[in-house]
Amino acid sequence: MKFNVLFVGQFLHLGIMVKKLTITFMAALLIIAAALTIVPQFINWSSYKPTIISAVQNATGRRLTVDGDIVVTMFPELALKITRVKFANVAGAVKEDMLVAEDMRMGIAFGDLLKGHLRLVITLNKPVVALEVTKDGNASWDFVPSRQVIKNSSPAQNAFPEKDIKTNRSLKEESRPFDLQLDSFLIKEGALTFLDGQTGKMESVTNLNSEVSFASLKGPFFVKGEAELHKYPLIFDIVMRKVEFENAMAVAAKLHLSSLGSKVALDGVVDYSTGSPELKGTLSASAENFATTYASLTGITPKSLAKKFDVSGELRGGLAQIKLSAANLKLGSMQAEAETSLSWSDGLSGSLRFTAESLDFDELLAEMNYPVTKKTGSISSQSQEKGVEKNSNGESKSGPSGSKAVIPSNIDFTITAFADSIKYRSELLRQASAQIRFVNGKLKIHQIGILLPGDSSAGMAGTVQLVKGKPFANIRIQAKSKRLRNLLSWAGIELHHISPSRLRSFSLEMILVGSAPRLKVHAIKSRLDNTDIRGGLSLVIGPKIAFGARFAIDRLNLDSYLKNDVRPVE
C-alpha cells in the first residue's frame, strides 16, 4: 500500500512539472512572437535600400529605384512591403522603365531564411509593365547579371549568355550573407504593353492577373493567369525554357478565349540567332461550338454553325510577318486544307489559299435563313433607319459626320479558293474556284467560276472599288448551259407549260457597271435555243424598281415555247 501511495505522489509531482514546463514554453513562444512583431517596427528598414538595390542589380544587371519606404510585416507572412518602385528596361528601349508599381510586396520563406537561403515571392499590385524589342534586337526579358563576364559577343548572341560567365555555384561560394533566389512574381490588376521597336507596332493587355515563376533568371519560366486582350477575356498557361547549346527559347502555350468558346495551343521554338526573334512551331485551335465563336465576333449565330471546329498547322513568324502552312481545317464533317501568310512591316500584305475535296452546303446552309441575333451588340433595322436621310431614288445621304465604307489603300491581300465538289440542293457542283485580290483600294476579281448541273457553267471577272464611299462595280459575266431545262429544274423553276423541245441551250455574256441602286448592264450577247439577243439594260433599285431596256432579237417563235394545251385560242 505504501508503494502505491508513493507512486501516485511521484506521478502527480511529474504532472505538475510538465504543466509548468508547458506554461513556460508557451510563454516563451508568446514573448518571441511579440518580439518578432514589435521589434521590427523599431528598425529603420529603409536603411537597407542600398543592399536590396545592389542585390537586384547584381542578379539582373538592371537599375532598381525605390522612392518610397520599406516596411516589414510578420503576419500573415514575413514580407517586405516597398512603395513607389521602378525597374529599368533594357538599354535602348523607348520606355525607360520596364516596371512601375506603387506597391510591391516581397514575401520571404522564414524556414529557408534560417538556413541562409533568401527565397523571394514578389507581389505587384496594379503594376504597369512595358515589354519591348528594341531596334537593335535587344529584348526586355534578356537579363545579364552584372557579375557575369561576357567577352567579345554581340547583344543578339548574349540573349542567353552561357560562355565565359561565373556559374551559380561560384556565385554561392562568394562571401555574401544570403543565397538570393527569386521564386515567382504575382501580378494583380496589372497592365502590360509590348512594343516592337523595329516596326513601331504596339499591343496591350489589361486586367492582368498572373503568376510568373522560374527556377533561375535563365528559366524555365512558368506563366499562368488571366487577362483581357482586345476586350476578350483570356486564360493562359505558358512554359518557356532555354534550348541547350542554341540561342533559342522553347515555348509551349495554352490559351483559352472563354468569351469565344475557343482554345489555342502553341508548341515551338523562338530563335534569336538572327538578332530578331523568329517563331517556328505547331499551332492548333478548336471550338466545341463554332456558332458561339461566330456570335461573339459578329453578333449573329447561324444555327448551322453549331458544330465543332478544329484547325492545326505549321506556324512560322517574326515581329513583322507570320505564316501558317499545311493547315488542316474541320467543321463538323467537312474538311479542307489551307495556307496563309501575313506581313505588316510596310502596310498589310499576304495571301490565303483554301482547298477542299468536297463541301456540303446543304448541311452548312440548312438553317442560315433563321439566324439568332444577340440582343447586345446588334442594332435593329429601325434604329439604323433613324437619322438617315434619303434622296428621291431611295439612296442614303451621308451627313458631314456620316461614315463611309473604305478599302484601305495599304492592303495587298490575295485569296485563292478551290473545291472539287460542292453539294447544294441535292446536286453536286464541280470545280468551284475563285481568286480575288485586295490592292490599291480595289477589289480585283481575277476569276470566279463553277460547273453547274445540266452541263452548265458560270464565271465572272472584274473590279469593285469605292467611289464616294459606295462600291462601284465593273464586272464581266459569262454563263452557258447545254441542258438548260435540267439547270432550271435544279434551281426549282417549274417548266410544265413550256414545250419539251424548247429551253434546250443558253449562253450569255454581259458587263455589269454601276453602283447600287443604279446599275447598268451593257454589251449583252445571248443565245436562247436558236434566238440571238443583243442589247443593254438600265436598272434603278428602290422602293419601286424602275428599268429601261433595249434589245435586238433576230427571230423568236413564241408559239414553239407553248404546249398545245396552253396555246391561246384563235
Coordinates of all heavy atoms in Angstrom, one line a residue, residues 364-439:
L364 N -24.4 23.0 -94.4 CA -23.9 24.3 -93.8 C -25.0 25.4 -93.8 O -25.1 26.2 -92.9 CB -22.7 24.8 -94.6 CG -22.0 26.0 -94.1 CD1 -21.4 25.8 -92.7 CD2 -21.0 26.5 -95.1
L365 N -25.9 25.4 -94.9 CA -26.9 26.4 -95.0 C -28.2 26.0 -94.6 O -29.2 26.7 -94.9 CB -26.9 26.9 -96.5 CG -25.6 27.4 -97.1 CD1 -25.8 27.7 -98.6 CD2 -25.1 28.6 -96.4
A366 N -28.3 24.8 -94.0 CA -29.6 24.3 -93.6 C -30.5 25.3 -92.9 O -31.7 25.4 -93.1 CB -29.4 23.0 -92.8
E367 N -29.9 26.0 -91.9 CA -30.7 26.9 -91.1 C -30.2 28.4 -91.2 O -30.4 29.2 -90.3 CB -30.7 26.5 -89.7 CG -31.3 25.1 -89.5 CD -31.2 24.6 -88.0 OE1 -30.7 25.4 -87.2 OE2 -31.6 23.4 -87.8
M368 N -29.5 28.7 -92.3 CA -28.9 30.0 -92.5 C -30.0 31.1 -92.5 O -29.8 32.2 -92.2 CB -28.1 30.1 -93.7 CG -26.7 29.7 -93.5 SD -25.8 30.8 -92.4 CE -24.1 30.4 -92.9
N369 N -31.2 30.7 -92.9 CA -32.3 31.7 -93.0 C -32.9 32.0 -91.7 O -33.9 32.8 -91.6 CB -33.4 31.2 -94.0 CG -32.9 31.1 -95.4 OD1 -32.1 31.9 -95.8 ND2 -33.4 30.1 -96.1
Y370 N -32.5 31.3 -90.6 CA -33.1 31.6 -89.3 C -32.0 31.9 -88.3 O -31.8 31.1 -87.3 CB -33.9 30.3 -88.8 CG -34.9 29.9 -89.9 CD1 -34.6 28.9 -90.8 CD2 -36.1 30.6 -90.0 CE1 -35.5 28.5 -91.7 CE2 -37.0 30.2 -90.9 CZ -36.7 29.1 -91.8 OH -37.6 28.7 -92.7
P371 N -31.3 33.0 -88.5 CA -30.2 33.3 -87.5 C -30.8 33.8 -86.2 O -31.9 34.3 -86.1 CB -29.4 34.4 -88.2 CG -30.5 35.1 -89.1 CD -31.4 34.0 -89.5
V372 N -30.0 33.6 -85.1 CA -30.4 34.1 -83.8 C -29.5 35.3 -83.6 O -28.3 35.2 -83.5 CB -30.1 33.0 -82.7 CG1 -30.5 33.6 -81.4 CG2 -31.0 31.8 -83.0
T373 N -30.1 36.5 -83.4 CA -29.4 37.7 -83.3 C -29.2 38.0 -81.8 O -30.2 38.0 -81.0 CB -30.1 38.9 -84.0 OG1 -30.2 38.5 -85.3 CG2 -29.3 40.1 -83.8
K374 N -28.0 38.3 -81.3 CA -27.8 38.6 -79.9 C -28.4 40.0 -79.6 O -28.3 40.9 -80.4 CB -26.3 38.6 -79.7 CG -25.7 37.3 -79.8 CD -24.2 37.4 -79.6 CE -23.9 37.7 -78.2 NZ -22.4 37.8 -77.9
K375 N -28.9 40.1 -78.5 CA -29.6 41.4 -78.1 C -28.5 42.5 -77.8 O -28.8 43.6 -78.1 CB -30.4 41.2 -76.9 CG -31.6 40.3 -77.1 CD -32.5 40.1 -75.9 CE -33.7 39.2 -76.1 NZ -34.5 39.1 -74.9
T376 N -27.4 42.1 -77.3 CA -26.3 43.1 -77.0 C -25.4 43.1 -78.2 O -25.0 42.2 -78.6 CB -25.6 42.7 -75.8 OG1 -25.0 41.4 -76.0 CG2 -26.5 42.6 -74.6
G377 N -25.1 44.2 -78.7 CA -24.1 44.2 -79.8 C -24.8 44.2 -81.2 O -24.1 44.1 -82.2
S378 N -26.1 44.2 -81.3 CA -26.8 44.2 -82.6 C -27.6 45.5 -82.6 O -28.1 45.9 -81.6 CB -27.6 43.0 -82.8 OG -28.7 42.9 -81.8
I379 N -27.8 46.0 -83.8 CA -28.6 47.2 -83.9 C -29.8 46.9 -84.8 O -29.7 46.3 -85.9 CB -27.8 48.4 -84.6 CG1 -26.6 48.6 -83.7 CG2 -28.6 49.6 -84.7 CD1 -25.6 49.6 -84.3
S380 N -31.0 47.2 -84.4 CA -32.2 46.9 -85.1 C -32.2 47.7 -86.4 O -31.7 48.8 -86.5 CB -33.4 47.1 -84.3 OG -33.6 48.5 -84.0
S381 N -33.0 47.2 -87.4 CA -33.1 47.9 -88.7 C -33.8 49.2 -88.5 O -33.5 50.2 -89.2 CB -33.8 47.0 -89.7 OG -35.1 46.7 -89.2
Q382 N -34.7 49.3 -87.5 CA -35.4 50.5 -87.3 C -34.5 51.6 -86.8 O -34.5 52.7 -87.2 CB -36.6 50.3 -86.3 CG -37.7 49.4 -86.9 CD -38.8 49.2 -85.9 OE1 -38.7 49.7 -84.8 NE2 -39.9 48.6 -86.4
S383 N -33.6 51.2 -85.8 CA -32.7 52.2 -85.3 C -31.7 52.6 -86.3 O -31.2 53.7 -86.3 CB -32.0 51.6 -84.0 OG -31.2 50.5 -84.4
Q384 N -31.4 51.7 -87.2 CA -30.4 52.1 -88.3 C -31.0 53.1 -89.2 O -30.4 53.9 -89.8 CB -30.0 50.8 -89.1 CG -29.1 49.9 -88.2 CD -28.7 48.7 -89.0 OE1 -29.4 48.3 -89.9 NE2 -27.5 48.1 -88.7
E385 N -32.4 53.0 -89.4 CA -33.0 53.9 -90.4 C -33.2 55.3 -89.8 O -33.3 56.2 -90.5 CB -34.4 53.3 -90.7 CG -34.4 52.0 -91.5 CD -33.8 52.2 -92.9 OE1 -34.0 53.3 -93.4 OE2 -33.3 51.3 -93.4
K386 N -33.1 55.4 -88.5 CA -33.3 56.7 -87.9 C -32.1 57.6 -88.2 O -31.0 57.2 -88.1 CB -33.5 56.6 -86.4 CG -34.8 55.9 -86.0 CD -35.0 55.8 -84.5 CE -36.2 55.1 -84.1 NZ -36.4 55.0 -82.6
G387 N -32.4 58.8 -88.5 CA -31.4 59.8 -88.7 C -30.7 59.6 -90.1 O -29.7 60.3 -90.3
V388 N -31.2 58.7 -90.9 CA -30.5 58.5 -92.2 C -31.4 59.2 -93.3 O -32.5 58.8 -93.5 CB -30.3 57.0 -92.6 CG1 -29.7 56.9 -93.9 CG2 -29.5 56.4 -91.5
E389 N -30.9 60.2 -93.9 CA -31.7 60.9 -95.0 C -31.5 60.2 -96.3 O -30.5 59.6 -96.6 CB -31.2 62.3 -95.1 CG -31.3 63.2 -93.8 CD -30.9 64.6 -94.0 OE1 -30.5 64.9 -95.2 OE2 -30.8 65.3 -93.1
K390 N -32.6 60.2 -97.1 CA -32.6 59.5 -98.4 C -33.1 60.5 -99.4 O -33.9 61.3 -99.2 CB -33.5 58.3 -98.4 CG -32.9 57.2 -97.4 CD -33.7 55.9 -97.5 CE -33.2 54.8 -96.6 NZ -33.9 53.6 -96.8
N391 N -32.6 60.3 -100.6 CA -33.0 61.2 -101.7 C -34.2 60.5 -102.4 O -34.7 59.5 -102.0 CB -31.9 61.4 -102.7 CG -31.3 60.1 -103.3 OD1 -32.0 59.1 -103.3 ND2 -30.1 60.2 -103.8
S392 N -34.6 61.1 -103.5 CA -35.8 60.7 -104.2 C -35.7 59.3 -104.8 O -36.7 58.6 -105.0 CB -36.2 61.6 -105.4 OG -35.1 61.7 -106.3
N393 N -34.5 58.8 -105.0 CA -34.2 57.5 -105.5 C -34.0 56.4 -104.4 O -33.7 55.3 -104.7 CB -33.0 57.5 -106.4 CG -33.2 58.3 -107.7 OD1 -34.3 58.4 -108.2 ND2 -32.1 59.0 -108.1
G394 N -34.2 56.8 -103.2 CA -34.0 55.9 -102.1 C -32.6 55.7 -101.6 O -32.3 54.9 -100.8
E395 N -31.7 56.6 -102.2 CA -30.3 56.5 -101.8 C -30.1 57.2 -100.4 O -30.7 58.2 -100.2 CB -29.4 57.1 -102.8 CG -29.5 56.4 -104.2 CD -28.6 57.1 -105.2 OE1 -27.4 57.3 -104.9 OE2 -29.1 57.5 -106.3
S396 N -29.2 56.7 -99.6 CA -28.9 57.3 -98.3 C -27.9 58.4 -98.5 O -27.1 58.4 -99.4 CB -28.4 56.3 -97.3 OG -27.2 55.8 -97.8
K397 N -28.1 59.5 -97.8 CA -27.2 60.6 -97.8 C -26.3 60.6 -96.6 O -26.8 60.5 -95.5 CB -28.0 62.0 -97.9 CG -28.8 62.2 -99.1 CD -29.5 63.5 -99.0 CE -30.3 63.8 -100.3 NZ -31.0 65.1 -100.2
S398 N -25.0 60.7 -96.8 CA -24.1 60.8 -95.7 C -23.9 62.2 -95.3 O -23.6 63.1 -96.1 CB -22.7 60.2 -96.1 OG -22.9 58.8 -96.4
G399 N -24.2 62.4 -94.0 CA -24.1 63.8 -93.5 C -22.6 64.1 -93.3 O -21.7 63.3 -93.6
P400 N -22.3 65.3 -92.7 CA -20.9 65.7 -92.5 C -20.2 64.8 -91.6 O -19.0 64.6 -91.8 CB -21.1 67.1 -91.9 CG -22.4 67.6 -92.3 CD -23.3 66.4 -92.4
S401 N -20.9 64.2 -90.7 CA -20.3 63.3 -89.7 C -20.5 61.8 -90.1 O -20.1 60.9 -89.4 CB -20.7 63.6 -88.3 OG -22.1 63.4 -88.2
G402 N -21.2 61.6 -91.2 CA -21.5 60.2 -91.6 C -20.3 59.5 -92.1 O -19.4 60.1 -92.7
S403 N -20.2 58.2 -91.7 CA -19.0 57.4 -92.1 C -19.3 56.7 -93.4 O -20.5 56.4 -93.7 CB -18.7 56.4 -91.0 OG -19.8 55.5 -90.8
K404 N -18.3 56.5 -94.2 CA -18.4 55.8 -95.5 C -17.5 54.6 -95.5 O -16.5 54.6 -94.8 CB -18.0 56.8 -96.7 CG -19.0 58.0 -96.8 CD -18.5 58.8 -98.0 CE -19.5 60.0 -98.1 NZ -19.1 60.9 -99.2
A405 N -17.9 53.6 -96.3 CA -17.0 52.4 -96.4 C -15.7 52.8 -97.1 O -15.6 53.7 -97.9 CB -17.8 51.4 -97.2
V406 N -14.7 52.1 -96.6 CA -13.3 52.4 -97.1 C -12.6 51.0 -97.3 O -12.7 50.1 -96.4 CB -12.5 53.3 -96.1 CG1 -11.1 53.4 -96.6 CG2 -13.2 54.6 -96.0
I407 N -11.9 50.9 -98.4 CA -11.0 49.8 -98.6 C -9.6 50.4 -98.5 O -9.2 51.1 -99.4 CB -11.2 49.1 -100.0 CG1 -12.6 48.5 -100.1 CG2 -10.1 48.0 -100.2 CD1 -12.8 47.9 -101.5
P408 N -8.9 50.1 -97.4 CA -7.6 50.8 -97.2 C -6.6 50.6 -98.4 O -6.5 49.5 -99.0 CB -7.0 50.1 -95.9 CG -8.2 49.6 -95.2 CD -9.2 49.2 -96.3
S409 N -5.9 51.6 -98.8 CA -5.0 51.5 -99.9 C -3.7 50.8 -99.6 O -3.0 50.5 -100.5 CB -4.7 52.9 -100.5 OG -4.1 53.7 -99.5
N410 N -3.4 50.6 -98.3 CA -2.1 50.0 -98.0 C -2.3 48.5 -97.7 O -1.5 47.9 -97.1 CB -1.5 50.7 -96.7 CG -2.5 50.5 -95.5 OD1 -3.6 50.2 -95.6 ND2 -1.9 50.6 -94.3
I411 N -3.4 47.9 -98.3 CA -3.6 46.5 -98.1 C -3.4 45.8 -99.5 O -3.8 46.3 -100.5 CB -5.0 46.2 -97.6 CG1 -5.2 46.6 -96.2 CG2 -5.4 44.7 -97.8 CD1 -6.5 46.3 -95.6
D412 N -2.6 44.7 -99.5 CA -2.4 43.9 -100.7 C -2.6 42.4 -100.2 O -1.7 41.8 -99.7 CB -1.1 44.1 -101.3 CG -0.9 43.4 -102.6 OD1 -1.8 42.6 -103.0 OD2 0.2 43.6 -103.2
F413 N -3.8 41.9 -100.4 CA -4.1 40.6 -99.9 C -4.8 39.8 -101.0 O -5.8 40.2 -101.6 CB -5.0 40.6 -98.6 CG -5.0 39.4 -97.9 CD1 -4.0 39.1 -96.9 CD2 -6.1 38.5 -98.0 CE1 -4.1 37.9 -96.2 CE2 -6.1 37.3 -97.3 CZ -5.1 37.0 -96.4
T414 N -4.4 38.5 -101.2 CA -4.9 37.7 -102.3 C -5.6 36.5 -101.6 O -5.0 35.8 -100.7 CB -3.8 37.2 -103.3 OG1 -3.3 38.4 -103.9 CG2 -4.4 36.4 -104.3
I415 N -6.8 36.1 -102.1 CA -7.5 35.0 -101.6 C -7.7 34.0 -102.8 O -8.3 34.4 -103.8 CB -8.8 35.3 -100.9 CG1 -8.6 36.3 -99.8 CG2 -9.6 34.1 -100.5 CD1 -9.9 36.8 -99.1
T416 N -7.3 32.8 -102.6 CA -7.5 31.7 -103.6 C -8.2 30.6 -103.0 O -7.8 30.1 -102.0 CB -6.1 31.3 -104.2 OG1 -5.4 32.4 -104.7 CG2 -6.4 30.3 -105.4
A417 N -9.3 30.1 -103.6 CA -10.1 29.1 -103.1 C -10.5 28.1 -104.2 O -10.7 28.5 -105.3 CB -11.4 29.6 -102.4
F418 N -10.5 26.8 -103.8 CA -10.9 25.8 -104.8 C -11.6 24.6 -104.0 O -11.2 24.2 -103.0 CB -9.7 25.2 -105.5 CG -10.1 24.1 -106.5 CD1 -10.6 24.4 -107.8 CD2 -9.9 22.8 -106.1 CE1 -10.9 23.4 -108.6 CE2 -10.2 21.8 -107.0 CZ -10.7 22.1 -108.3
A419 N -12.7 24.2 -104.6 CA -13.4 23.0 -104.1 C -13.8 22.1 -105.2 O -14.4 22.5 -106.2 CB -14.7 23.4 -103.3
D420 N -13.3 20.8 -105.1 CA -13.6 19.9 -106.2 C -15.1 19.6 -106.4 O -15.5 19.5 -107.6 CB -12.8 18.6 -106.0 CG -12.9 17.6 -107.2 OD1 -12.4 18.0 -108.2 OD2 -13.4 16.5 -107.0
S421 N -15.8 19.6 -105.3 CA -17.3 19.4 -105.4 C -18.0 20.0 -104.3 O -17.4 20.1 -103.2 CB -17.6 17.9 -105.5 OG -17.3 17.3 -104.2
I422 N -19.1 20.6 -104.5 CA -20.0 21.2 -103.5 C -21.4 20.7 -103.7 O -22.0 20.7 -104.7 CB -20.0 22.8 -103.7 CG1 -18.6 23.4 -103.6 CG2 -21.0 23.4 -102.7 CD1 -18.6 24.8 -103.8
K423 N -21.9 20.1 -102.6 CA -23.3 19.6 -102.6 C -24.2 20.7 -102.3 O -24.1 21.4 -101.2 CB -23.4 18.5 -101.6 CG -24.8 17.8 -101.6 CD -24.9 16.7 -100.6 CE -26.3 16.1 -100.6 NZ -26.5 15.1 -99.6
Y424 N -25.1 21.0 -103.2 CA -26.1 22.1 -103.0 C -27.4 21.8 -103.7 O -27.4 21.4 -104.9 CB -25.6 23.4 -103.5 CG -26.5 24.6 -103.3 CD1 -26.9 24.9 -102.0 CD2 -26.9 25.4 -104.4 CE1 -27.8 26.0 -101.8 CE2 -27.7 26.5 -104.1 CZ -28.2 26.8 -102.9 OH -29.0 27.8 -102.7
R425 N -28.5 21.9 -103.0 CA -29.8 21.5 -103.5 C -29.8 20.0 -104.0 O -30.3 19.7 -105.1 CB -30.3 22.4 -104.5 CG -30.5 23.9 -104.0 CD -31.0 24.8 -105.1 NE -32.3 24.4 -105.6 CZ -33.5 24.9 -105.1 NH1 -33.4 25.7 -104.1 NH2 -34.6 24.5 -105.6
S426 N -29.1 19.2 -103.3 CA -29.0 17.7 -103.5 C -28.3 17.4 -104.8 O -28.3 16.2 -105.3 CB -30.4 17.1 -103.6 OG -31.1 17.4 -102.4
E427 N -27.6 18.3 -105.4 CA -26.8 18.1 -106.6 C -25.3 18.5 -106.3 O -25.1 19.3 -105.4 CB -27.3 18.9 -107.8 CG -28.7 18.4 -108.3 CD -28.6 17.1 -109.1 OE1 -27.4 16.7 -109.5 OE2 -29.6 16.5 -109.4
L428 N -24.4 18.0 -107.1 CA -23.0 18.3 -107.0 C -22.6 19.4 -108.0 O -22.8 19.2 -109.2 CB -22.1 17.0 -107.1 CG -22.2 16.0 -106.1 CD1 -21.3 14.8 -106.4 CD2 -21.9 16.5 -104.7
L429 N -22.0 20.4 -107.4 CA -21.4 21.5 -108.3 C -19.9 21.2 -108.3 O -19.3 20.9 -107.3 CB -21.7 22.9 -107.7 CG -23.1 23.2 -107.2 CD1 -23.2 24.6 -106.7 CD2 -24.1 22.9 -108.3
R430 N -19.3 21.3 -109.5 CA -18.0 20.9 -109.7 C -17.0 22.0 -109.9 O -17.4 23.1 -110.4 CB -17.9 19.9 -110.9 CG -18.7 18.7 -110.8 CD -18.2 17.7 -109.8 NE -18.9 16.4 -109.8 CZ -18.6 15.4 -109.0 NH1 -17.6 15.5 -108.2 NH2 -19.3 14.3 -109.0
Q431 N -15.8 21.8 -109.5 CA -14.6 22.7 -109.8 C -14.9 24.1 -109.5 O -14.8 25.0 -110.3 CB -14.2 22.5 -111.3 CG -13.7 21.1 -111.6 CD -13.3 20.9 -113.0 OE1 -12.9 21.9 -113.7 NE2 -13.2 19.7 -113.5
A432 N -15.4 24.4 -108.3 CA -15.6 25.8 -107.9 C -14.3 26.4 -107.5 O -13.5 25.9 -106.7 CB -16.6 25.8 -106.7
S433 N -14.0 27.6 -108.1 CA -12.7 28.2 -107.9 C -12.9 29.7 -107.8 O -13.9 30.3 -108.5 CB -11.7 27.8 -109.0 OG -12.2 28.3 -110.3
A434 N -12.0 30.4 -107.1 CA -12.1 31.8 -107.0 C -10.7 32.3 -106.7 O -10.0 31.7 -105.9 CB -13.1 32.3 -105.9
Q435 N -10.4 33.5 -107.3 CA -9.1 34.2 -106.9 C -9.5 35.7 -107.0 O -9.8 36.3 -108.0 CB -8.0 33.9 -107.9 CG -6.7 34.5 -107.5 CD -5.6 34.2 -108.5 OE1 -5.8 34.0 -109.6 NE2 -4.3 34.1 -107.9
I436 N -9.4 36.3 -105.8 CA -9.6 37.7 -105.7 C -8.5 38.4 -104.9 O -7.7 37.7 -104.2 CB -11.0 38.0 -104.9 CG1 -10.9 37.5 -103.5 CG2 -12.1 37.4 -105.7 CD1 -12.1 37.8 -102.7
R437 N -8.3 39.7 -105.2 CA -7.2 40.4 -104.6 C -7.6 41.8 -104.1 O -8.2 42.5 -104.9 CB -6.0 40.5 -105.6 CG -4.8 41.2 -105.1 CD -3.8 41.3 -106.1 NE -2.5 42.0 -105.7 CZ -1.5 42.4 -106.4 NH1 -1.6 42.2 -107.8 NH2 -0.5 42.9 -105.9
F438 N -7.3 42.1 -102.9 CA -7.5 43.5 -102.4 C -6.2 44.2 -102.6 O -5.2 43.9 -102.0 CB -7.9 43.5 -100.9 CG -9.2 42.9 -100.6 CD1 -9.3 41.5 -100.4 CD2 -10.4 43.7 -100.6 CE1 -10.5 41.0 -100.1 CE2 -11.6 43.1 -100.4 CZ -11.7 41.7 -100.1
V439 N -6.2 45.3 -103.4 CA -4.9 46.0 -103.7 C -5.3 47.4 -104.1 O -6.2 47.6 -104.9 CB -4.1 45.3 -104.8 CG1 -4.8 45.2 -106.1 CG2 -2.7 46.0 -104.9

